[in-house]
């Protein structure tokens, strides 16, 4: 599928990587989860993202997951693969390999280990080198809470000039920054989409021009996230949904992380399974809190 920025809209869940009890990838569970989620109007699916525990995966595991996801995702929905690594060379190699097994788009996080050396010049060269050689479009992934590197607005807009860089997942939570990027894209008439990186600020991001969101909560409450997106022009209705999603989103992201997300998926009929060490399983207290939140959102369950 040839992908343009205009297709990067709506809601896309960053799907967790399912492991079996022996700690190995359970590709069949990924397929089953996606086939259930694809019954909704989700635009596509992110594999190998932060919620996919991508930093703990071997390269062959990453490609196996891409292949499994492609099997489950219809041709009219996007498969977006997280191919960012610490080196430009390795990122480009993985991006090309992901494209060969069916990825439509690569989402690439900022390299961060040599943080002081990740200057504007270094980051621009990194992303432009990849964009020039990538067979599929590239989406920037800004996640300063994890990487400690925050792509500046001017840097993002400079990169957005490249025709093969078609979007941004902005996870900083800085809605003013999102508004500035959207405005800059409009002023320059660029083919570039901005997506909120969390359901916690999804409505605020949509209000300032974001085209959608890549949000963990959509793994558990896809219909609610989609309803929020679809009612954005009716602020009173959308605000009610946004407020309802806030406790869930916090539980499956900042509070309990991937373990919390996987537990919530189990409780809503999908496969969650264990996390990969050194991550720890969700403690009993966290389970109780998530049970309460889910009972509030889905009272019939």
């Amino acid at each position: 599928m040839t992908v343009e920025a205009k297709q990067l809209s709506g809601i896309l869940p960053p799907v967790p990587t399912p492991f079996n009890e022996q700690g190995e990838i359970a590709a069949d569970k990924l397929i089953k989860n996606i086939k259930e989620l694809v019954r909704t109007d989700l635009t596509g699916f992110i594999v190998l993202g932060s919620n996919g525990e991508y930093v703990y995966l071997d390269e062959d595991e990453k490609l196996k997951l891409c292949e499994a996801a492609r099997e489950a995702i219809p041709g009219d929905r996007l498969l977006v693969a997280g191919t960012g690594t610490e080196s430009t060379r390795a990122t480009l190699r993985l991006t090309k390999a992901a494209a060969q097994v069916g990825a439509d788009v690569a989402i690439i996080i900022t390299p961060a280990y040599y943080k002081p050396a990740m200057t504007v010049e270094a980051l621009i060269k990194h992303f432009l080198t990849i964009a020039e050689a990538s067979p599929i479009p590239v989406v920037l992934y800004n996640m300063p809470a994890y990487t400690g590197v925050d792509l500046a607005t001017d840097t993002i807009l400079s990169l957005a000039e490249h025709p093969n860089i078609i979007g941004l997942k902005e996870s900083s939570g800085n809605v003013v920054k999102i508004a500035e990027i959207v405005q800059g894209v409009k002023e320059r008439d660029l083919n570039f989409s901005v997506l909120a990186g969390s359901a916690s600020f999804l409505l605020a991001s949509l209000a300032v021009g974001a085209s959608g969101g890549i949000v963990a909560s959509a793994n558990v409450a896809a219909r609610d996230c989609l309803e929020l997106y679809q009612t954005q022009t009716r602020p009173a209705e959308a605000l009610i949904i946004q407020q309802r999603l806030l406790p869930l989103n916090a539980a499956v992201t900042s509070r309990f992380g991937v373990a919390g997300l996987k537990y919530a998926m189990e409780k809503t009929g999908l496969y969650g399974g264990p996390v990969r060490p050194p991550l720890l399983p969700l403690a009993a207290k966290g389970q109780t809190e998530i049970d309460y939140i889910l009972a509030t959102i889905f009272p019939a369950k």
Side-chain angles (χ1 to χ4, degrees):
M1 180 194 300
T2 302
V3 180
E4 297 182 4
K6 62 184 179 181
Q7 293 170 266
L8 283 175
S9 61
I11 303 298
L12 301 91
V15 294
T17 296
F19 301 109
N20 60 29
E21 294 303 323
Q22 291 72 47
E24 301 301 323
I25 284 177
D28 59 322
K29 302 296 187 184
L30 178 67
I31 291 170
K32 184 177 179 181
N33 283 350
I34 291 176
K35 284 186 174 180
E36 180 63 29
L37 289 168
V38 85
R39 294 168 63 186
T40 67
D41 292 329
L42 294 166
T43 300
F45 301 84
I46 315 296
V47 295
L48 312 180
S50 299
N51 287 292
E53 298 171 77
Y54 81 99
V55 291
Y56 298 157
L57 299 174
D58 301 331
E59 187 165 314
D60 63 329
E61 292 179 316
K62 293 178 179 180
L63 295 176
K64 182 179 179 181
L65 285 165
C66 284
E67 288 178 323
R70 184 74 278 171
E71 179 181 335
I73 299 171
D76 62 345
R77 311 282 186 101
L78 295 177
L79 167 54
V80 183
T83 59
T85 71
E86 284 300 310
S87 79
T88 306
R89 174 191 174 105
T91 300
L92 185 54
R93 182 179 68 243
L94 182 57
T95 301
K96 290 179 176 179
Q100 288 180 342
V101 296
D104 298 305
V105 178
I107 184 167
I108 299 175
I109 199 165
T110 52
Y113 184 81
Y114 294 106
K115 180 182 172 182
M118 293 301 99
T119 61
V120 170
E121 294 76 16
L123 290 168
I124 287 178
K125 183 175 182 180
H126 172 74
F127 284 110
L128 290 184
T129 299
I130 294 163
E132 279 294 319
S134 173
I136 53 178
V138 169
V139 170
L140 310 173
Y141 180 14
N142 191 44
M143 183 57 164
Y146 286 176
T147 66
V149 174
D150 190 4
L151 283 173
T153 298
D154 287 345
T155 303
I156 292 165
L157 289 173
S158 176
L159 291 169
E161 298 273 0
H162 194 284
N164 207 31
I165 298 178
I166 64 169
L168 164 73
K169 177 186 178 182
E170 179 55 58
S171 296
S172 68
N174 186 340
V175 177
V176 173
K177 179 181 178 183
I178 290 173
E180 291 172 346
I181 296 168
V182 170
Q183 183 61 30
V185 167
K186 288 181 179 178
E187 289 173 352
R188 302 182 191 198
D189 193 25
L190 301 176
N191 181 40
F192 188 83
S193 295
V194 181
L195 298 108
S198 172
S200 63
F201 49 89
L202 178 57
L203 180 57
S205 299
L206 294 171
V208 298
S211 62
I214 298 174
V215 297
S217 295
N219 288 288
V220 180
R223 287 180 173 82
D224 295 79
C225 293
L226 285 164
E227 187 181 3
L228 173 54
Y229 173 75
Q230 292 158 358
T231 60
Q232 60 181 285
T233 56
R234 302 193 295 277
E237 293 178 44
L239 181 58
I240 292 171
I241 303 166
Q242 176 69 88
Q243 291 174 332
R244 187 169 73 237
L245 284 171
L246 287 176
L248 172 66
N249 183 76
V252 301
T253 57
S254 58
R255 293 197 62 202
F256 303 118
V258 180
L261 176 58
K262 287 187 169 183
Y263 178 79
M265 290 174 68
E266 289 277 359
K267 299 297 289 187
T268 52
L270 298 178
Y271 181 85
V275 291
R276 178 166 277 184
L279 292 182
L280 296 174
L282 186 64
K285 181 179 179 182
Q287 294 179 13
T288 300
E289 291 190 38
I290 289 177
D291 287 343
Y292 175 79
I293 292 168
L294 292 175
T296 301
I297 296 176
F298 309 117
K301 290 185 179 290

